[in-house]
Amino acid sequence: MVERKEGIPLQPDKLDAVKVTRDIWVVQNSVLGQDAHTSYTGWVTTAEGAVVIDPGNFRTCQMIKDAVAKDTGKTVRYIIYTHAHGDHTAGAAAFTDQRPKVIAHENVIPRLDRYTAMEKYIRRINSIQFHFDIPPRRFHHVYPTDIYHDEFEFTLGNKTFRLFHAMGETDDHSLVWIPELKTIFCGDLLESSFPNLGNPFKVLRYGREWALALEKVLSLEPEYAIGGDIVISDRQRLREVCEDNIELFHFLENSVIKAANEGKNLEQMLEEIQLPPDLLNSPNLKQVYSRREFAIYNIWRRYCGYFDFSPSSLLPRPKRELAGVVRGLIGKDEAILDKARELIQSGKLQLALETLDIILKTDYENVPARRLRCDILLKLAAADTCLMSRNVWVHYMEEDERFLAVQK
Ligand SMILES: [Zn+2]
């Protein structure tokens, strides 16, 4: 059954703050209606004030502010961004009256600039990716007051905050290490499922550097590690999660580079690079948010160009032109629709979807083809356990439903 989510999710009624260890609380910024990939906000109490790490999103920030005040009784002196993604930073706007220093890696600044320049595009793709209507931004970005290049350290009260630059899901990550409490905040570099190494809508991710970041985490021997959707307080478990991810990053990167050197193109890589059983079956790498194919696309995009070693793909005509040629050769749309139905019957849903494009690339308002596409997308979505791909199927299924509802 496809999960249907309507409109803008409401904020949760209350925050479930959890004490991680002495002087550290965290709260998960779950957004109602979303079933994966939330962020954690943490706050640390010191003798001289509070430090908030990733102040959450615009829905939860006021509740977080109240919780920090109630829990610590202190002013927020510092905010740290683990990276610039909105679910980690947007809530900073709620704290500006306390005039905290805002610490982040230097790459956060061009990223926030880009978010402003591309706001419409980003709202559009996030509305597809997360399957809800992203409202216009309510607050201005709160830019860092202090940035750094490789490492940064400050102390407040009796605690040290040591930041290390890292790359992975983004190029602007900070690992935040608090040695007195043996606690590390990892942002989205530490996740409970398959890492977000590739996103069909968005900029590059960095697998090789991500592996290095997780090596760094292990080298610090933390007792507590807070990630994007996970809090780990067991060293053995942390080691298992990090090592599975590190092995995955190396496997995928090495496989794409090897295949490229062997003259293979992206299509061949997507077919041939399959995860070995230990990675495929790892409970730490379930493909519930991102997936193998998105990661391979991402690595290819990072190291290679778009050319697929077929001369026809160097300067291709718009797809609608070839579809028009093929459609004309077939002569009857019913034959195309019958073939698509046959493919659906045999479970080849993706091929059925592409077959329908022979009609839809030339005639997007073709009702029988849209009706059949809607059925295919429903089946794809119902069978897909990966949030990002499932939400794409659902987005276009709903577009088909709206179109079909106004047809005679
Ligand atoms: Zn992120």
Side-chain angles (χ1 to χ4, degrees), residues 37 83 85 87-88 169-170 173 188:
H37 202 72
H83 62 302
H85 278 164
D87 56 334
H88 295 256
E169 192 207 35
T170 61
H173 254 85
D188 286 342

Side-chain angles (χ1 to χ4, degrees), residues 170-181:
T170 61
D171 62 358
D172 64 346
H173 254 85
S174 292
L175 296 170
V176 183
W177 171 234
I178 307 163
E180 292 85 356
L181 300 174

